[in-house]
Amino acid sequence: MYQYNDNDQILVDERVAQFRRQTEQFLKSEMSEDQYRALRLRNGLYIQTHAPMLRIAGPYGLFNSKQLRKIAHVARTYDKNYCHFTTRQNIQFNWPKLEEVPDILAELASVQMHAIQTSGNCMRNTTSDHLAGVCIDEIEDPRPYCEIIRQWTTLHPEFDYLPRKFKIAVSGALHDRAATQFHDIGLHLVKNDAGEIGFKVMVGGGLGRTPVIGQIIKPYLEKKNLLSYLEAILRIYNLFGRRDNKYKARIKILVKESGLEKFSTLVEKEWLLIRDNNELDNERINGMKAQFVAPAYDTDAVRDTSFSQQQDENKAFATWVKYNTADHKISGYRAAFLSLKAPDSPPGDMTDVQLDAVADLADKYSFGEIRSTHRQNLILADVKQADLFVLWQQLELLKLATPNIGTVTDMICCPGLDFCSLANAGSIGVAKEINEALDDMDYIHDIGDLKINMSGCMNGCAHQSVGHIGILGVDKKGTEWYQLTLGGSSENNAAIGERLGPAVAKDQVTKAITTILEVYIEHRLEDESFLDMVNRVGITPFKEQVYAIN
Amino acid sequence: MQLIKDRQIIDDIWNYVTDDAELAAGNISVSLARWQQDKAKLLAHDGNIGVRLGPADSVDDIAADLNSLQLIELDFPDFADGRLFSHAWLLRERYDYHGEIRATGHYMNDQVFYLSRVGVNAFSPEKAEDLPVVLSHLNDFTVKYQDSVN
Ligand code: HEM
Ligand code: SF4
């Protein structure tokens, strides 16, 4: 993965010094609340229900074992021994002390981590495919471009005070695992008719209270023009995005209100004036690619025969392999998911002990590298198949081997009322209740690919609008209710879920979910996934059953 | 009043003339609206002329006049409005403007590093005691990742 050079290190160190000074000024009342707010948000610091919340950047989801150990240390020393992995491949701490945040950031800088632009109205951490570089359906590894974009977006002098936050996601595979169609800019590496690789550019996607699917603004952009084209979009957005209303300030509203045609005319006009600036020449691209060369794979790994034998002999292991590992472009290797969705633990949470242990496992089995996914799990991307059995045994001991990746209990879930001051309703508790109701693994596996996403309010941090089943916490006269949607997807077949009917009371949510699952099982054709079935029959049968209770 | 220009603390030799006031003698700056309305009179004025832009003004509207203008003020109604950063970039890079670009109004000292990178070369802080602070903030970072005006 990318190794920080002296310049990168100086930048994060200087950023820490700057933030330390800003925080001291604020604590001495030499800076207004408003000013400090804008500055602290740009360093990932929110003020939340119980304490500040600190969001640390995970650049396109990549971490090394040293960084993970540092996160464990921060969790132990400055927080309550755990942290939370988010849908944007970042890490959140829920209990830091404001006065100590500069020290935390200094600790993180010592391992090249930071919280720069993880929040605030600026360009945020770039996200990507968690299987980048190892998946079998890849056109080209997106990570070198992610790093080029990370650098371009970091402390960008012109675009740091945008109308609203701005998120870029990059995918390089046929299967979109990075939800690129729900980002302000989605970039997809594609091959043109001449066999050359460039970017398909999508714009104006987003979640939150108005979920919108991004539209294609440029079907094919040459790589060398990547930064000038991003610059053109950002300049048009900065100049013309709405600033009169926070809820209309995202680029999705600008694109919608002007219409794609008018918007892209503006972008094109701007781009033609700057397209030769900032050109990404081959040298720069190749230099960056050299930072992401494949690790030294063992060519003998493919000769191993123990793996199939172990699966034959141990059903539990075979099940874990089926659900929690993915094909790898190198034969003899697989990518292993670490499920952060154990039944009794809040989705995405990890303790300091687990973090340290996973760092050791990464060193031992996966070239010291760990990735986070947008469904709030972790991945060791390069594990020899012969090592999977021991890895699995150790993950079992750590409670990180629940074989539920991609199933109903692999829920995305935001902190909700437990930590978030914006929440209308709890989500962690509801997730736990659903988990308890669905404790039969065979049943869960029978249901198969089904994504439940649950947010505690319409900001939609847990992508509920694109869940196959979405659960949205709403407030009704001070009590917690939940709006259900069906049929959403953030993958290639992007769709926004359809409302099932009136919101249900908190004590009815689990029943509603189990009813939806029963309807699916009753109506599905052989091998038909939940999403396919919803698309085939619509929501009516679900609606009838869920609301038949009364 | 003093301000910072090209990293030096100097006396301010400019006066801003509000839209309803008489045009004063000496170096004066006016709003874009006033400039458009009184252009002939201003071009005949004895002294240098500047124009003050707000975030909602378009730089294109003065593009043809830049040779007559020795100062462009970018007036921040509030630090969060980032349009003026693009205005500065456009003035320097697209229109090759070489005169003074000055940040006025309610920006933060913590933004002057960014502003200097997009081509703002003068800063008039709200409080005189901020002058050395602004100077030090111009060095907030010694590395930069992307091209801009500088
Ligand atoms: C307690 C801490 C959090 C606060 C205060 C918070 C705040 C917000 C707010 C205000 C929005 C709305 C933005 C808009 O309308 O455009 C939002 C959106 C979002 N947040 Fe959070 N959030 C928190 C935690 C999280 C977590 C834990 C995740 C991931 C699990 C997350 C990921 C997201 C995503 C993906 C969006 C939607 C972005 C889009 O519209 O494209 N946030 N958040
Ligand atoms: S969806 Fe709402 S409740 Fe959940 S974390 Fe985001 S802002 Fe908080």
Side-chain angles (χ1 to χ4, degrees):
Chain A
M1 72 192 250
Y2 181 72
Q3 296 296 316
Y4 272 38
N5 60 33
D6 290 348
N7 269 350
D8 302 309
Q9 185 69 50
I10 290 169
L11 189 142
V12 290
D13 291 343
E14 289 179 346
R15 178 64 161 205
V16 173
Q18 184 194 43
F19 186 63
R20 191 181 291 284
R21 198 195 59 231
Q22 290 163 346
T23 303
E24 279 164 10
Q25 279 184 329
F26 172 70
L27 292 173
K28 284 192 281 183
S29 306
E30 289 169 11
M31 185 187 286
S32 75
E33 289 265 356
D34 267 6
Q35 295 187 331
Y36 184 63
R37 183 170 171 277
L39 298 169
R40 69 168 159 77
L41 285 178
R42 281 171 175 70
N43 289 287
L45 185 60
Y46 281 76
I47 304 293
Q48 281 308 301
T49 307
H50 303 290
M53 180 209 82
L54 181 65
R55 184 179 296 149
I56 316 290
Y60 34 95
L62 286 194
F63 304 92
N64 62 35
S65 52
K66 216 165 116 193
Q67 294 176 326
L68 221 59
R69 284 190 195 97
K70 182 60 86 177
I71 293 291
H73 169 77
V74 170
R76 217 167 14 245
T77 317
Y78 301 92
D79 207 287
K80 297 192 174 180
N81 298 72
Y82 67 93
C83 72
H84 181 81
F85 283 85
T86 81
T87 45
R88 306 209 66 258
Q89 300 180 302
N90 292 328
I91 296 174
Q92 292 185 178
F93 285 109
N94 284 309
W95 305 92
K97 293 191 188 66
L98 177 65
E99 314 77 74
E100 290 182 345
V101 171
D103 295 333
I104 300 177
L105 293 180
E107 294 252 21
L108 293 168
S110 72
V111 293
Q112 296 78 47
M113 294 188 85
H114 60 78
I116 300 172
Q117 291 166 214
T118 52
S119 194
N121 296 333
C122 53
M123 294 188 279
R124 302 285 190 87
N125 182 40
T126 297
T127 53
S128 188
D129 183 352
H130 45 257
L131 292 178
V134 303
C135 56
I136 50 176
D137 63 338
E138 196 154 85
I139 297 161
E140 189 177 316
D141 188 345
R143 294 173 301 172
Y145 305 99
C146 289
E147 178 56 30
I148 287 169
I149 295 170
R150 183 192 75 80
Q151 298 189 5
W152 180 76
T153 53
T154 299
L155 308 193
H156 195 293
E158 187 182 343
F159 306 129
D160 201 47
Y161 286 84
L162 294 169
R164 204 74 173 79
K165 60 177 167 181
F166 201 93
K167 302 171 175 179
I168 302 175
V170 194
S171 163
L174 294 176
H175 182 160
D176 180 3
R177 284 173 289 260
T180 56
Q181 297 181 81
F182 291 101
H183 282 75
D184 298 282
I185 294 180
L187 295 167
H188 221 132
L189 283 152
V190 290
K191 228 182 221 156
N192 68 8
D193 294 340
E196 296 151 344
I197 296 176
F199 292 99
K200 176 169 84 179
V201 184
M202 288 162 286
V203 72
L207 298 167
R209 61 183 62 215
T210 321
V212 179
I213 299 177
Q215 301 186 65
I216 298 171
I217 183 167
K218 197 130 195 101
Y220 187 82
L221 175 75
E222 283 184 67
K223 286 176 184 172
K224 64 175 185 189
N225 294 323
L226 176 65
L227 294 181
S228 61
Y229 198 74
L230 292 180
E231 180 177 325
I233 294 180
L234 263 302
R235 183 162 301 124
I236 295 302
Y237 173 54
N238 192 34
L239 288 172
F240 300 107
R242 288 183 62 168
R243 292 175 190 263
D244 58 325
N245 179 338
K246 179 178 174 221
Y247 300 115
K248 301 201 165 162
R250 296 285 299 269
I251 196 173
K252 62 190 173 190
I253 306 295
L254 177 63
V255 175
K256 228 163 123 181
E257 285 182 352
S258 19
L260 180 66
E261 200 178 335
K262 181 152 169 249
F263 178 78
S264 63
T265 309
L266 286 172
V267 169
E268 200 69 15
K269 208 173 132 210
E270 177 63 30
W271 182 54
L272 288 176
L273 296 167
I274 58 170
R275 61 180 288 174
D276 298 331
N277 299 357
N278 240 323
E279 201 172 276
L280 284 184
D281 54 21
N282 281 336
E283 200 186 336
R284 172 114 188 258
I285 294 176
N286 289 336
M288 198 55 90
K289 281 185 179 173
Q291 298 271 351
F292 293 91
V293 286
Y297 292 118
D298 177 359
T299 44
D300 281 344
V302 63
R303 294 209 204 122
D304 155 78
T305 51
S306 63
F307 181 54
S308 57
Q309 199 185 332
Q310 283 150 350
Q311 288 181 83
D312 291 342
E313 285 165 7
N314 191 319
K315 183 166 168 285
F317 175 60
T319 305
W320 178 79
V321 169
K322 178 167 175 206
Y323 288 92
N324 290 26
T325 70
D327 289 341
H328 197 289
K329 67 177 184 192
I330 306 292
S331 352
Y333 280 82
R334 294 189 74 74
F337 285 80
L338 281 51
S339 170
L340 304 188
K341 314 292 176 63
D344 50 357
S345 157
D349 274 15
M350 230 175 143
T351 66
D352 59 328
V353 176
Q354 287 175 320
L355 288 159
D356 274 332
V358 169
D360 292 345
L361 293 175
D363 279 339
K364 212 160 169 184
Y365 300 114
S366 197
F367 302 99
E369 193 189 284
I370 302 98
R371 304 170 178 210
S372 62
T373 80
H374 101 277
R375 292 200 64 84
Q376 300 181 288
N377 294 303
L378 296 189
I379 296 183
L380 298 179
D382 300 290
V383 185
K384 267 190 227 175
Q385 63 179 43
D387 289 338
L388 283 167
F389 189 74
V390 259
L391 175 65
W392 168 69
Q393 287 178 314
Q394 306 200 36
L395 292 175
E396 280 271 297
L397 295 174
L398 293 166
K399 295 197 169 176
L400 295 172
T402 316
N404 61 352
I405 299 297
T407 71
V408 256
T409 57
D410 181 14
M411 270 177 263
I412 303 185
C413 181
C414 80
L417 270 181
D418 291 84
F419 296 108
C420 180
S421 56
L422 305 173
N424 289 324
S427 17
I428 293 173
V430 177
K432 189 160 186 241
E433 201 185 294
I434 295 172
N435 255 317
E436 278 161 7
L438 299 172
D439 62 348
D440 181 348
M441 265 299 163
D442 289 335
Y443 182 64
I444 290 167
H445 289 149
D446 180 42
I447 293 164
D449 180 16
L450 204 170
K451 302 192 168 79
I452 301 185
N453 299 354
M454 172 167 35
S455 299
C457 81
M458 68 207 294
N459 284 321
C461 295
H463 298 200
Q464 87 288 344
S465 48
V466 293
H468 298 174
I469 299 177
I471 308 177
L472 166 64
V474 290
D475 176 88
K476 276 198 189 178
K477 298 194 183 103
T479 52
E480 300 165 57
W481 287 67
Y482 296 83
Q483 175 67 61
L484 304 177
T485 49
L486 295 186
S489 167
S490 62
E491 300 176 44
N492 295 47
N493 52 353
I496 291 158
E498 194 179 340
R499 266 173 80 154
L500 191 65
V504 299
K506 189 168 193 172
D507 59 4
Q508 296 299 315
V509 182
T510 302
K511 179 79 185 108
I513 299 297
T514 51
T515 306
I516 289 168
L517 300 180
E518 281 156 18
V519 174
Y520 161 60
I521 290 189
E522 189 187 324
H523 287 76
R524 70 176 164 190
L525 306 175
E526 204 184 340
D527 288 337
E528 190 179 35
S529 72
F530 178 79
L531 194 57
D532 286 345
M533 188 213 128
V534 173
N535 288 336
R536 178 173 57 85
V537 304
I539 64 168
T540 312
F542 296 98
K543 195 171 177 165
E544 283 168 3
Q545 291 302 311
V546 169
Y547 297 99
I549 308 168
N550 303 323
Chain B
M1 265 301 280
Q2 290 194 305
L3 53 72
I4 286 162
K5 187 177 169 190
D6 297 329
R7 294 178 176 253
Q8 306 284 333
I9 298 178
I10 57 161
D11 289 328
D12 189 359
I13 51 161
W14 288 85
N15 280 309
Y16 178 70
V17 181
T18 53
D19 285 357
D20 47 5
E22 284 292 305
L23 294 178
N27 301 323
I28 54 171
S29 72
V30 296
S31 73
L32 175 63
R34 181 88 182 245
W35 167 253
Q36 288 170 328
Q37 191 190 312
D38 291 344
K39 199 190 273 189
K41 212 162 142 195
L42 284 160
L43 284 170
H45 177 76
D46 184 17
N48 288 332
I49 301 294
V51 167
R52 177 176 283 193
L53 298 180
D57 291 332
S58 169
V59 171
D60 298 347
D61 288 344
I62 50 164
D65 303 326
L66 288 172
N67 281 334
S68 315
L69 302 172
Q70 282 72 40
L71 169 74
I72 309 286
E73 291 184 286
L74 300 177
D75 189 36
F76 282 80
D78 134 41
F79 68 83
D81 197 323
R83 285 177 283 187
L84 293 165
F85 292 75
S86 284
H87 290 354
W89 188 90
L90 287 166
L91 284 166
R92 290 286 188 226
E93 291 288 308
R94 181 136 314 147
Y95 297 118
D96 205 24
Y97 177 67
H98 290 288
E100 176 177 336
I101 301 182
R102 180 188 292 189
T104 67
H106 307 283
Y107 55 92
M108 284 189 277
N109 291 338
D110 287 273
Q111 291 174 309
V112 302
F113 171 76
Y114 292 79
L115 284 165
S116 72
R117 288 209 59 208
V118 289
V120 175
N121 68 327
F123 301 91
S124 61
E126 291 176 89
K127 294 179 287 187
E129 64 260 36
D130 274 357
L131 286 166
V133 183
V134 169
L135 270 180
S136 75
H137 276 288
L138 288 171
N139 303 321
D140 274 355
F141 293 92
T142 57
V143 290
K144 37 190 101 147
Y145 270 138
Q146 57 297 91
D147 289 342
S148 191
V149 173
N150 61 58

